[in-house]
Amino acid sequence: MKTLKELARPNIWNLAPYSSARNEYSGHAAHVFLDANENPYNAPLNRYPDPLQTEIKEILAKVKGVGAEQIFLGNGSDEAIDLVYRCFTRPGRDNVVAIEPTYGMYKVCADINDVEYRPVLLDENFGMSADKMLAACDRNTKVIWICSPNNPTGNSIDRKEMMKVIDGFDGLVVVDEAYSDFSSASPMRLRLASHPNMIVLNTFSKAWGCAAIRLGMAFAHADIIGLFNKVKYPYNINLLTQQQALETLKDPYEVDKWVKMLLLERGRMIEAFKLLPICKHVYPTDANFFLARMTDAQVIYDYLVNNGIIVRNRTRVQLCNNCLRITVGSKSENNELLAALRQYR
């Protein structure tokens, strides 16, 4: 692996970060706050939130099995995705490599940051070739993106192929595990100690049922997290989000219960879809959704919309022609979808 200094943009490496009022007195007890030009009334909303979300990270470290210094919290995982570009890629010069098809924000952020995006097509079973991924890299490739379980395909990327990429690349490999809580595979964040060139993403939006609070996680070597903290906006996670995250973290067993129920429903839905005359194939999945190839995805999608049921039409995505992506909902929501599809003519 190249050194972090070699990988980082020179201006970011040399950046003097903004020093917020809440950072400057860190380590000291305080009860009178006259430093941040805040209104003294309307507590607690009148005060700026903890810029480093210390309390959440301490609890998360125990839940996720990593050090608190290895955790970055962002305004959704999208903030962490954007920070990878802003910290490590030089606009107009560097490039990134990614599997295709995959989560669309990797390319959107590349385009925003004026960074060349090099997609490498998966095979017909949505498998990744490490050799093809590495062959797409050159001396200006800074980052490789791997989403596993992948979106929109649902499958986990073969672990041996993934490790071949991580071990064979001298830049950063981002493994997006937004859906890993629905998979039986061991999470990649537990391998950070032996693979310092890896960044692992996760989120409160999926298994934790907190999409509305927009809280994403990145796990990485403490030095990488330090760069993220230099570049992020000072108070990127608001107080209400931090409070709700702390409340949610009080009962991780409730999340385990949700996951078990969703996995049962996922199995039931897949078997039901296989019996539909309008469904040609259901692909294997390790996520809280599945990809189904239909007879005519666009027409079926429009039919469902007219019935007030919204799924995701992925027919214009490479390798996903005539495919619908179905999120596993509650039992009643799933039954309504199945009833509508059984009545389709």
Side-chain angles (χ1 to χ4, degrees), residues 11 45 65 96 113 121 126 143 155 163 185 228 272 328:
N11 64 307
L45 301 181
V96 301
N113 287 279
L121 201 63
F126 304 130
V143 180
N155 64 303
M163 294 311 303
F228 282 2
V328 180

Side-chain angles (χ1 to χ4, degrees), residues 55-56 59 73 204 208-215 237-251 255 258:
E55 188 176 358
I56 299 174
I59 298 173
L73 296 179
F204 275 79
W208 291 82
C210 287
I213 72 173
R214 305 304 301 129
L215 189 60
I237 307 298
N238 70 70
L239 177 64
L240 300 180
T241 290
Q242 292 193 42
Q243 289 176 333
Q244 185 58 53
L246 289 170
E247 187 65 27
T248 301
L249 285 166
K250 288 180 180 178
D251 193 4
V255 176
W258 295 340

Side-chain angles (χ1 to χ4, degrees), residues 178-193:
Y179 302 96
S180 63
D181 295 293
F182 302 100
S183 170
S184 60
S186 174
M188 290 294 289
R189 67 175 180 273
L190 301 181
R191 302 192 183 200
L192 286 174

Side-chain angles (χ1 to χ4, degrees), residues 126 149-156 179 266 283-287 289-291:
F126 304 130
N150 191 25
N151 177 13
T153 61
N155 64 303
S156 292
Y179 302 96
R266 185 182 75 186
Y283 291 92
T285 180
D286 286 318
F289 63 85
F290 59 92
L291 194 70

Side-chain angles (χ1 to χ4, degrees), residues 30-242:
H31 63 280
V32 176
F33 299 99
L34 304 175
D35 58 332
N37 302 333
E38 300 157 324
N39 188 323
Y41 307 111
N42 196 37
L45 301 181
N46 59 324
R47 300 297 181 187
Y48 287 109
D50 176 2
L52 294 176
Q53 310 92 35
T54 307
E55 188 176 358
I56 299 174
K57 290 177 181 177
E58 289 176 352
I59 298 173
L60 263 182
K62 298 174 183 177
V63 173
K64 297 293 186 179
V66 299
E69 73 283 356
Q70 294 177 296
I71 302 173
F72 171 82
L73 296 179
N75 187 349
S77 296
D78 294 341
E79 181 179 4
I81 291 168
D82 187 53
L83 279 173
V84 170
Y85 285 99
R86 293 166 65 196
C87 289
F88 297 106
T89 59
R90 298 165 296 178
R93 295 180 62 182
D94 291 331
N95 66 75
V96 301
V97 170
I99 59 174
E100 177 72 20
T102 195
Y103 181 45
M105 281 303 294
Y106 311 144
K107 185 178 188 307
V108 170
C109 286
D111 292 343
I112 290 171
N113 287 279
D114 192 23
V115 172
E116 181 190 356
Y117 185 86
R118 298 181 175 182
V120 177
L121 201 63
L122 299 173
D123 65 26
E124 64 276 9
N125 296 313
F126 304 130
M128 182 191 76
S129 164
D131 290 338
K132 289 182 179 179
M133 295 291 285
L134 294 171
C137 301
D138 62 22
R139 62 188 180 88
N140 287 329
T141 305
K142 289 293 188 68
V143 180
I144 293 178
W145 296 94
I146 301 174
C147 185
S148 182
N150 191 25
N151 177 13
T153 61
N155 64 303
S156 292
I157 301 301
D158 183 83
R159 188 59 58 93
K160 290 182 179 179
E161 292 296 296
M162 193 187 305
M163 294 311 303
K164 188 175 179 180
V165 170
I166 294 169
D167 291 334
F169 183 54
D170 63 2
L172 296 171
V173 179
V174 183
V175 182
D176 190 341
E177 292 192 324
Y179 302 96
S180 63
D181 295 293
F182 302 100
S183 170
S184 60
S186 174
M188 290 294 289
R189 67 175 180 273
L190 301 181
R191 302 192 183 200
L192 286 174
S194 57
H195 296 87
N197 65 326
M198 186 168 58
I199 300 172
V200 180
L201 304 182
N202 202 217
T203 179
F204 275 79
S205 296
K206 310 303 177 184
W208 291 82
C210 287
I213 72 173
R214 305 304 301 129
L215 189 60
M217 296 167 269
F219 308 105
H221 190 280
D223 291 343
I224 294 175
I225 299 300
L227 280 181
F228 282 2
N229 288 332
K230 283 176 69 173
V231 176
K232 78 173 185 71
Y233 293 120
Y235 303 106
N236 62 323
I237 307 298
N238 70 70
L239 177 64
L240 300 180
T241 290
Q242 292 193 42

Side-chain angles (χ1 to χ4, degrees), residues 12 17 22-23 27 29 39-40 51 68 114 127 135 139 143 152 307 328 330 335:
I12 298 301
R22 291 297 178 263
N23 277 332
N39 188 323
D114 192 23
R139 62 188 180 88
V143 180
N307 282 273
V328 180
S330 66
N335 286 342

